[in-house]
Amino acid sequence: MSEPTPISDPYAYLNIVKNPDGSITRDLTNFPCAAATPDPSPENPAVSKDLPVNHSKSTWLRLYLPSSAVNAGVSSQKLPLVVYYHGGGFILCSVDMQAFHDFCSEMARDLNAIVVSPSYRLAPEHRLPAAYDDGIEALEWIKTSDDEWIKSHADFSNVFLMGTSAGGNLAYNVGLRSVDSVSDLIPLQIRGLILHHPFFGGEERCGSEIRLVNDQVCPPIVTDVMWDLSLPVGADRDHEYSNPTVRDGSEDLEKIGRLRWKVMMIGGEDDPMIDRQIDVAKLMKKKGVEVVEQYTGGDAHGAEIRDPCKRKTLFVSIKNFISSLL
């Protein structure tokens, strides 16, 4: 079998153009969007609706409720709350992208959970930590929301932070930021983090990045550009936002362990970032965090987002993880 042709122009691969003022122009034709589905119907695994979070930042969220909960009415049991941050290397994609909408709808149904998917400002127009700030602000919004779906159905004592790719990095960093504000988040109680193919980096190439240098989904030449556009100006990939293992990791990891939050690290063995994900999991365990690891052979980066056939197995594993903490 011949080697795949290496991606030589990451900007062309990403369909972006860098502008003189530092912003980028995005060609979104490859990212079809889906409208929310507020009305129950047999085709919709979940009902969903869009709600504003911060008008000044143009941030918003999409709320998903299993159709079964709608049919059961107010008397139904309270459901775990999964806060899900979408991927896109911090520079692309949105909550309403069709693939993320379908993923969250099916996840709400299969986990029997409320899923809240917040938007966040994208880089390079808004470099990190802007996305982390928005991720925290979404938790504050949920905490004080008077939305009827949340009030009637959400179990605030069972909250999980989850994300795919850049969203997994976001969930990790929102988790770290939240350890010192646990009392401020009450009645929200975070029980765990679900890191799905989280986006991590570093200056020195790791083994899987070398092995998969010509990966056709998310090769290092592409992720280098994503980090260059999203990290604070002047920072390299060994910044703590991209490489959590630098300087033996954040001391806040030990606080996650003391809070008894549990972490699920999910990766694919054909993802160039797999070794970084394994190293972060190893660091968390060293800091006293209980980590459940699941690495799937043959899976490229974000496999379950692109391939609906792979979702059912993933959601069974996540449901078991959540059930172990209820």
Side-chain angles (χ1 to χ4, degrees), residues 168-306:
N169 176 298
L170 210 163
Y172 173 83
N173 279 284
V174 168
L176 286 182
R177 285 177 166 218
S178 299
V179 294
D180 287 326
S181 56
V182 169
S183 59
D184 296 336
L185 285 173
I186 290 172
L188 294 187
Q189 294 179 43
I190 297 170
R191 304 297 299 279
L193 313 179
I194 302 166
L195 310 180
H196 179 237
H197 296 221
F199 182 47
F200 296 129
E203 280 297 302
E204 187 178 339
R205 293 284 189 241
C206 65
S208 55
E209 287 171 339
I210 294 168
R211 173 171 61 89
L212 296 163
V213 67
N214 292 333
D215 175 60
Q216 296 293 288
V217 177
C218 210
I221 191 174
V222 169
T223 55
D224 286 355
V225 166
M226 289 171 161
W227 286 122
D228 182 56
L229 292 172
S230 59
L231 287 168
V233 173
D236 65 22
R237 294 189 302 276
D238 280 335
H239 191 282
E240 62 183 345
Y241 294 163
S242 50
N243 187 352
T245 66
V246 291
R247 294 179 292 281
D248 200 34
S250 168
E251 59 187 39
D252 287 333
L253 282 174
E254 293 170 359
K255 297 176 186 175
I256 286 179
R258 288 196 292 271
L259 286 167
R260 307 289 298 275
W261 295 357
K262 203 168 167 182
V263 175
M264 186 174 191
M265 180 72 79
I266 304 162
E269 291 180 3
D270 282 354
D271 180 353
M273 284 175 264
I274 183 70
D275 285 359
R276 298 198 181 278
Q277 294 154 3
I278 291 170
D279 285 347
V280 172
K282 191 181 300 179
L283 172 67
M284 287 192 282
K285 288 189 282 190
K286 177 183 164 187
K287 299 282 188 177
V289 180
E290 187 177 351
V291 183
V292 174
E293 297 174 84
Q294 179 174 305
Y295 307 118
T296 307
D299 275 3
H301 187 70
E304 294 88 355
I305 301 296
R306 290 175 293 102

Side-chain angles (χ1 to χ4, degrees), residues 127-169:
R127 289 177 176 265
L128 295 173
Y132 304 154
D133 296 340
D134 297 344
I136 288 282
E137 188 171 35
L139 297 184
E140 293 286 338
W141 183 95
I142 295 166
K143 181 185 91 166
T144 58
S145 173
D146 59 0
D147 176 78
E148 195 54 45
W149 289 4
I150 290 178
K151 287 198 300 184
S152 298
H153 299 285
D155 179 357
F156 277 5
S157 67
N158 285 301
V159 178
F160 296 84
L161 306 182
M162 178 180 174
T164 298
S165 191
N169 176 298

Side-chain angles (χ1 to χ4, degrees), residues 42-58:
E43 307 89 69
N44 296 331
V47 291
S48 57
K49 61 181 170 181
D50 298 337
L51 297 163
V53 174
N54 186 321
H55 288 288
S56 68
K57 297 177 181 176
S58 299

Side-chain angles (χ1 to χ4, degrees), residues 23-93:
S23 66
I24 58 174
T25 300
R26 302 162 176 85
D27 179 353
L28 302 178
T29 49
N30 291 336
F31 298 110
C33 291
T37 53
D39 299 317
S41 77
E43 307 89 69
N44 296 331
V47 291
S48 57
K49 61 181 170 181
D50 298 337
L51 297 163
V53 174
N54 186 321
H55 288 288
S56 68
K57 297 177 181 176
S58 299
T59 52
W60 57 286
L61 55 79
R62 182 163 289 180
L63 182 60
Y64 298 84
L65 180 68
S67 297
S68 58
V70 178
N71 299 332
V74 180
S75 61
S76 63
Q77 69 188 89
K78 296 278 188 171
L79 304 177
L81 179 66
V82 177
V83 181
Y84 175 83
Y85 303 103
H86 71 79
F90 292 114
I91 64 170
L92 292 171
C93 302

